[in-house]
Amino acid sequence: MARPRKPLLSTERIVATAAALVDAEGVEAVSTRRLAAELGVSGPSLYNHFRTKDEILEAVADAVSARIDLSMFAEDDPRDWRTALHDWAVSYRAALADHPQVVPLLARGPGRRPAGLRVADAVFGAMVRAGWPPAQATSIGALMRYFVTGSALGSFARGFVDDEAAYDPADYPHLGQAHLLAERQRKVDEGAFETGLAALLDGLAVRYAAQVSQGSGDASGRGTETGAGGMGAGAAGTEAGGTGA
Amino acid sequence: MARPRKPLLSTERIVATAAALVDAEGVEAVSTRRLAAELGVSGPSLYNHFRTKDEILEAVADAVSARIDLSMFAEDDPRDWRTALHDWAVSYRAALADHPQVVPLLARGPGRRPAGLRVADAVFGAMVRAGWPPAQATSIGALMRYFVTGSALGSFARGFVDDEAAYDPADYPHLGQAHLLAERQRKVDEGAFETGLAALLDGLAVRYAAQVSQGSGDASGRGTETGAGGMGAGAAGTEAGGTGA
DNA sequence: ACCTGAACACCGTTCAAGT
DNA sequence: ACCTGAACACCGTTCAAGT
């Protein structure tokens, strides 16, 4: 059966199966042959739908980014910029926490993931509407992303997975304690995330206040450059697309 | 020549050569055979000094962590906690910027890198001495690490390397513009880092002030638990070692 | 103890061949 | 257009053999 009249594969099915494999066994478990077998197909078939294996993994990462809630940045959403950023960060972290095995894929850099660009665009637009100067709005999107992805990396990227493996219940009967340690670490990470997020938003609020008192930072926004953040001017549209999630 | 009377290899030489290879061509260029060839030796020889290839890469990552300046956390250093954190973050980022190809290795999680643990310990000790409650001191070390590693990831982990490759100077003669774009992105990332770092420290300063006014947060420190951060109590020593860089 | 070559069970990707 | 098997040039790691 060389070519079936109905295609056996689709990009969606490939990505979904790859994502499930990553979630279940980690990025390293994904080989073209293994993935193809899971799809009931031979290895080279994948190359009719993707140019490289890396492209498949990029699509898996993008699918996770696509699950980040962005409703707080909608024009008609009542949340103020600070609450919106907070809720977004929490949703962002939750999306990564749901797929810890995907986090290492983020380490390959922003890449060209479309969902990442959509995120950057949404944040940028909402911040500008709230009265932030464009250059500052760009910075805010980036620095929030830094913090959230960094926390995901530090918290659940292969960290406690290794730990659980290290505590072999065979010769270590107090497996309750291993659970306790993992739970404890989780609490530490969560506390650090919450403290850091609150501090970050407090710090931004200080800068925002300095801005409005000095410039003309009303809600119609987009206008006068204030000196407060000092990144120089920049065109709005291109600024937002600079880096993806 | 089965066994030379003087060993051809040493863990140091292996790590140094691996690090040079990573810096020059990236993590993906490191194969045991390639690395061994670079060392003038056959592939399996490496297994006399390391148990797996991953262990070698961990050592490379640890060598970078070891280059982070920690002098600001020394007991006799005059810098206050806020300045110390700032200078540390800048030095931390600089260490990663010097070895952008190493950044993806951090994505494998904190692991058991000794240099990372030393860093965590230094931050913790200095924060406690400055008057932060132990639980908060732990959070601060973690959240600062989140931000710095996240920024390294977002800024120079294979981001613009790909970009430069995309602009093939053969059919794109305005290579000056490609440089301009890369330079522009670098400025955006730097601005986001500086803004975020300042905001983070401002936010922590607010919490610190709330702490001393409410509890007894003098420089002798270590004492009374305040309710401000709310992570519950925890033994000092074990808290610090929780997560590495 | 420390190196070697041979071998095992894999890889990602290309390509001619089939329909 | 979309799948196949065969093939190429690799992998990480193990192991018996040498000194």
Side-chain angles (χ1 to χ4, degrees):
Chain A
M1 41 142 119
R3 165 160 122 89
R5 52 164 56 86
K6 187 125 200 286
L8 299 174
L9 255 34
S10 68
T11 64
E12 292 78 21
R13 209 162 79 82
I14 293 171
V15 173
T17 307
L21 191 51
V22 168
D23 280 344
E25 303 186 35
V27 180
E28 311 224 317
V30 182
S31 74
T32 54
R33 284 171 170 88
R34 171 83 190 277
L35 175 57
E38 217 96 17
L39 287 158
V41 114
S42 94
S45 302
L46 298 170
Y47 291 85
N48 287 299
H49 304 266
F50 288 92
R51 268 187 330 212
T52 62
K53 177 188 151 184
D54 260 23
E55 252 181 31
I56 299 175
L57 294 177
E58 284 281 298
V60 169
D62 198 51
V64 172
S65 293
R67 304 208 49 181
I68 302 170
D69 182 16
L70 294 179
S71 63
M72 64 288 289
F73 297 131
E75 292 222 30
D76 58 354
D77 193 280
R79 283 169 277 191
D80 65 298
W81 69 265
R82 197 199 148 123
T83 309
L85 282 181
H86 174 273
D87 293 355
W88 170 58
V90 169
S91 155
Y92 197 160
R93 178 174 156 98
L96 297 179
D98 282 346
H99 304 281
Q101 305 269 30
V102 172
V103 174
L105 291 177
L106 303 176
R108 320 228 185 171
R112 304 275 155 272
R113 295 191 275 276
L117 297 178
R118 262 203 309 282
V119 171
D121 186 63
V123 181
F124 178 79
M127 292 306 110
V128 168
R129 274 199 311 279
W132 284 98
Q136 291 290 318
T138 304
S139 278
I140 289 171
L143 68 89
M144 291 291 293
R145 197 164 37 78
Y146 294 166
F147 181 70
V148 175
T149 57
S151 116
L153 223 71
S155 302
F156 32 74
R158 303 265 322 139
F160 42 46
V161 178
D162 279 349
D163 268 18
E164 290 194 284
Y167 294 105
D168 182 1
D171 57 357
Y172 188 81
H174 310 74
L175 69 153
Q177 196 156 351
H179 265 85
L180 228 68
L181 284 172
E183 182 61 21
R184 194 170 188 301
Q185 187 57 50
R186 231 209 61 225
K187 280 240 164 65
V188 168
D189 287 328
E190 212 164 283
F193 175 74
E194 280 169 20
T195 302
L197 179 55
L200 213 40
L201 296 174
D202 280 352
L204 288 177
V206 171
R207 302 201 137 218
Y208 185 79
Q211 212 114 250
V212 271
S213 76
Q214 189 179 332
S216 79
D218 64 331
S220 71
R222 211 143 205 136
T224 49
E225 206 80 14
T226 86
M231 285 191 37
T238 58
E239 288 278 4
T243 354
Chain B
M1 44 144 113
R3 166 161 123 89
R5 51 163 57 85
K6 227 210 161 214
L8 298 174
L9 255 35
S10 69
T11 65
E12 292 77 20
R13 209 163 80 81
I14 293 171
V15 174
T17 307
L21 191 51
V22 169
D23 280 343
E25 303 185 35
V27 180
E28 311 223 319
V30 181
S31 76
T32 55
R33 284 170 171 88
R34 171 82 191 277
L35 175 57
E38 217 97 16
L39 287 157
V41 113
S42 94
S45 302
L46 298 170
Y47 291 85
N48 286 300
H49 303 267
F50 289 91
R51 265 186 335 209
T52 62
K53 176 187 152 186
D54 260 23
E55 254 182 27
I56 300 176
L57 293 177
E58 284 282 299
V60 169
D62 198 51
V64 171
S65 293
R67 305 208 47 182
I68 302 170
D69 182 17
L70 294 178
S71 62
M72 64 288 290
F73 297 131
E75 291 222 31
D76 58 354
D77 193 280
R79 283 169 277 192
D80 65 297
W81 68 265
R82 197 200 148 122
T83 309
L85 282 181
H86 174 272
D87 293 355
W88 170 58
V90 169
S91 154
Y92 197 160
R93 180 175 156 96
L96 298 180
D98 283 345
H99 304 280
Q101 306 269 30
V102 172
V103 174
L105 291 176
L106 303 175
R108 320 229 184 171
R112 306 274 156 271
R113 295 190 275 276
L117 297 178
R118 263 204 310 281
V119 170
D121 185 63
V123 182
F124 178 79
M127 292 306 111
V128 168
R129 274 199 310 281
W132 284 97
Q136 291 290 318
T138 304
S139 278
I140 290 171
L143 68 90
M144 291 292 293
R145 197 165 37 78
Y146 295 167
F147 181 70
V148 176
T149 56
S151 116
L153 223 70
S155 302
F156 32 74
R158 304 265 322 136
F160 42 47
V161 179
D162 278 350
D163 268 19
E164 290 195 284
Y167 295 103
D168 183 0
D171 56 358
Y172 187 81
H174 311 73
L175 69 153
Q177 195 156 351
H179 265 85
L180 227 69
L181 285 171
E183 181 60 22
R184 194 170 189 301
Q185 187 56 50
R186 231 210 61 225
K187 280 238 164 66
V188 168
D189 287 327
E190 211 164 283
F193 175 74
E194 280 169 20
T195 302
L197 179 55
L200 213 39
L201 295 175
D202 281 351
L204 288 178
V206 170
R207 303 200 139 222
Y208 185 78
Q211 213 115 250
V212 272
S213 76
Q214 189 180 335
S216 78
D218 66 330
S220 71
R222 212 144 204 134
T224 50
E225 206 80 15
T226 85
M231 286 190 37
T238 57
E239 286 279 3
T243 355

